[in-house]
Amino acid sequence: MHRSTPSTRAGKSVQDGGQAVRASAARALVPVITAKGSLSDLDDHQVVTRDRALFKAMCYGVCRTLPRLEALAALLLKTPFKARDADVQALLLLGIYQLLYLRIPAHAAVGETAGAARQLGKEWATKVLNGCLRRLTRESAALQAEVDQDPAVALLHPRWLLKALRQAWPDDWRAIAEANNQPGPMALRINRRRGDREAYLVRLVESGIEARLCTHSPDGLVLEKPCDVQALPGFVEGDVSVQDEAAQLAAELLGPALAPRPGGRVLDACCAPGGKTAHLLELFDIELLALDSDAVRLARVEDTLERLGLSATLVHADATGRDWWDGTPFDAILLDAPCSGTGVIRRHPDIKCLRRATDIAKLAELQARLLDNLWPLLRSGGSLLYATCSVLREENDEQIQAFLERTPDAVVTTPGEVSWGRAVGAGRQLLPEPDSHDGFFYARLRKQG
């Protein structure tokens, strides 16, 4: 059974990049498969321009299909590689991925992947890799059928995560998993200070870029095919940004609290990388304080605002504390809380490798601390919007229900008559949909007084 995905069916345009690009991909994957790092540093790896697309396709593809690749690798190896040879393990996974998911000739996938072991200073591994990959070319159908008997392997998810999805969404878990395995579409957000999406759609068409209007966000468009941001008309000038449709709904939900109060004081806690920060500033006349505990990610927010010609007060601080607060209450707070990211796995497939079942309770505890710490900073009558890019209920409706039980002055104002998501407890849950939005949760609360 041969499988392919839209993200990696590169066709004749995918050319063999040789041993060097495969060795670079193996090095990039080592931190991920050993749970010590993510794919966020791919651009730091030195890869020649002509091979960068193949490099990224292989790295993301391996992470997206890792449970299946690892199961096949276990069948192909007589004995597992030692921990110090994680780079060789990465090469084997890369070789399996190429043979099953990329339109690269088998002889090139096998030969160049095995040969890449020399680039890693491990010539001994060339024979092992060559033997494993050649066996896969001979016995592909039988080996795939054997590993796919395990649903976690067939659906390309860690077993704990598949179980969690099934518990949370007994009628939707399989559709969620399948959506996670497809790359998400590239969505844009129009800077409403510089135009509207209908006019921008015309500009896209004139540039030869096919797109359609988003269904739920009034500022969003979806490209039929992803492209480099530099190809987007007016991107450098700040006319448009890349942001998923579900994430764009945050500004719409805060609109009723902000639009009637020009100059309102707003806190964007945990603001990086800055998409929601910018959207709020594009839509409303507000005084915004953007807070984040990660200085590197906060610098990205600054870059985003500079490109868009927007201004906010950026503060490097921890939102679980208050040493950064001047004592003046906020009219509105956006808490885009740290979470499991289980609603955006299709954009960050390394989550499958890096996240553990034990992380969920720790994240839920952090989310509760953030809610409890920030709520007193809100003025009476003000609104707090709680958001996550998770589909796990411990982080979402169960989190908000627990907060409501211990916070008597919190009133639910999450809208019910909207076209997106589904009502879940005090909030609304969006599940990831192919060719549409990511998985997201929102709950809006007003402070009585």
Side-chain angles (χ1 to χ4, degrees):
M1 178 170 52
H2 183 84
R3 299 190 176 190
S4 58
T5 62
S7 64
T8 54
R9 287 181 65 94
K12 296 181 180 179
S13 64
V14 174
Q15 301 296 322
D16 169 35
Q19 298 176 7
V21 67
R22 289 165 173 81
S24 293
R27 294 188 189 99
L29 285 168
V30 167
V32 180
I33 65 175
T34 56
K36 296 178 180 177
S38 70
L39 294 180
S40 61
D41 297 327
L42 283 190
D43 289 337
D44 295 338
H45 290 265
Q46 299 299 315
V47 179
V48 296
T49 302
R50 71 173 184 275
D51 290 338
R52 290 211 65 82
L54 176 60
F55 170 73
K56 289 191 173 184
M58 290 193 297
C59 290
Y60 276 90
V62 165
C63 291
R64 187 167 282 119
T65 57
L66 187 65
R68 200 158 184 266
L69 303 183
E70 288 183 327
L72 287 165
L75 287 182
L76 294 169
L77 286 169
K78 293 180 180 179
T79 56
F81 292 119
K82 296 179 179 178
R84 65 172 180 266
D85 296 318
D87 50 356
V88 181
Q89 172 75 4
L91 274 181
L92 178 57
L93 299 175
L94 283 161
I96 298 170
Y97 179 73
Q98 292 169 71
L99 289 173
L100 299 186
Y101 295 95
L102 287 182
R103 287 186 172 181
I104 292 176
H107 68 87
V110 174
E112 299 292 4
T113 302
R118 299 188 185 94
Q119 302 265 339
L120 302 176
K122 296 182 177 179
E123 187 167 354
W124 60 267
T126 57
K127 184 176 180 181
V128 178
L129 292 169
N130 189 69
C132 288
L133 296 175
R134 288 190 179 280
R135 181 187 169 196
L136 180 59
T137 61
R138 296 191 304 269
E139 305 174 30
S140 177
L143 291 170
Q144 291 185 75
E146 182 175 347
V147 298
D148 283 345
Q149 293 179 43
D150 182 344
V153 171
L155 286 170
L156 308 178
H157 278 60
R159 191 167 285 104
W160 76 266
L161 180 52
L162 208 60
K163 180 180 178 181
L165 293 176
R166 194 166 192 166
Q167 290 176 338
W169 305 103
D171 296 328
D172 304 283
W173 64 277
R174 185 177 291 273
I176 295 171
E178 291 172 348
N180 286 346
N181 293 336
Q182 302 296 319
M186 183 172 177
L188 308 180
R189 184 193 75 243
I190 302 309
N191 182 350
R192 212 184 289 179
R193 292 180 181 266
R194 301 176 63 95
D196 59 51
R197 63 177 184 168
E198 287 77 12
Y200 192 78
L201 182 59
V202 173
R203 295 173 66 186
L204 287 174
V205 172
E206 291 173 345
S207 300
I209 300 174
E210 295 184 29
R212 65 183 187 277
L213 301 180
C214 284
T215 305
H216 308 300
S217 169
D219 296 324
L221 302 104
V222 180
L223 301 188
E224 296 300 329
K225 295 180 180 179
C227 71
D228 189 288
V229 293
Q230 301 301 322
L232 297 171
F235 178 83
V236 174
E237 294 78 12
D239 295 351
V240 68
S241 298
V242 177
Q243 187 181 39
D244 181 72
E245 181 181 15
Q248 294 181 36
L249 297 173
E252 296 299 315
L253 286 167
L254 279 175
L258 300 180
R261 299 179 64 87
R265 182 173 162 84
V266 180
L267 170 66
D268 184 357
C270 313
C271 66
K276 299 179 187 68
T277 309
H279 198 191
L280 288 171
L281 291 167
E282 290 168 359
L283 293 181
F284 306 109
D285 177 18
I286 54 176
E287 177 189 339
L288 191 144
L289 190 156
L291 189 77
D292 206 273
S293 60
D294 188 322
V296 174
R297 283 166 56 82
L298 193 63
R300 290 179 59 191
V301 180
E302 184 175 13
D303 292 342
T304 294
L305 297 184
E306 182 177 355
R307 179 180 65 84
L308 294 169
L310 302 170
S311 178
T313 300
L314 304 185
V315 178
H316 176 216
D318 186 345
T320 61
R322 297 184 193 169
D323 54 342
W324 50 270
W325 185 44
D326 64 4
T328 304
F330 293 97
D331 296 296
I333 296 175
L334 169 60
L335 173 53
D336 189 4
C339 70
S340 62
T342 45
V344 293
I345 287 175
R346 61 188 189 174
R347 301 191 189 279
H348 305 281
D350 48 352
I351 289 173
K352 294 181 182 180
C353 320
L354 304 177
R355 192 66 68 208
R356 298 289 182 268
T358 52
D359 294 338
I360 307 307
K362 296 176 184 176
L363 286 164
E365 191 273 335
L366 173 59
Q367 293 153 4
R369 287 171 55 204
L370 287 165
L371 280 164
D372 290 342
N373 186 61
L374 296 176
W375 186 253
L377 280 56
L378 190 66
R379 70 165 178 85
S380 295
S383 292
L384 182 146
L385 181 64
Y386 177 81
T388 75
C389 53
S390 169
V391 296
L392 300 183
R393 300 185 66 172
E394 299 98 310
E395 303 179 272
N396 296 340
D397 59 294
E398 293 176 8
Q399 178 71 260
I400 294 301
Q401 182 58 39
F403 177 73
L404 290 170
E405 290 172 359
R406 64 179 183 268
T407 313
D409 60 347
V411 178
V412 178
T413 61
T414 309
E417 300 302 318
V418 291
S419 61
W420 51 267
R422 61 185 73 184
V424 183
R428 292 194 73 82
Q429 179 74 59
L430 298 105
L431 301 178
E433 294 186 5
D435 301 319
S436 186
H437 54 70
D438 293 339
F440 244 85
F441 176 82
Y442 288 109
R444 192 176 66 199
L445 308 174
R446 180 172 53 80
K447 190 172 189 178
Q448 285 184 318

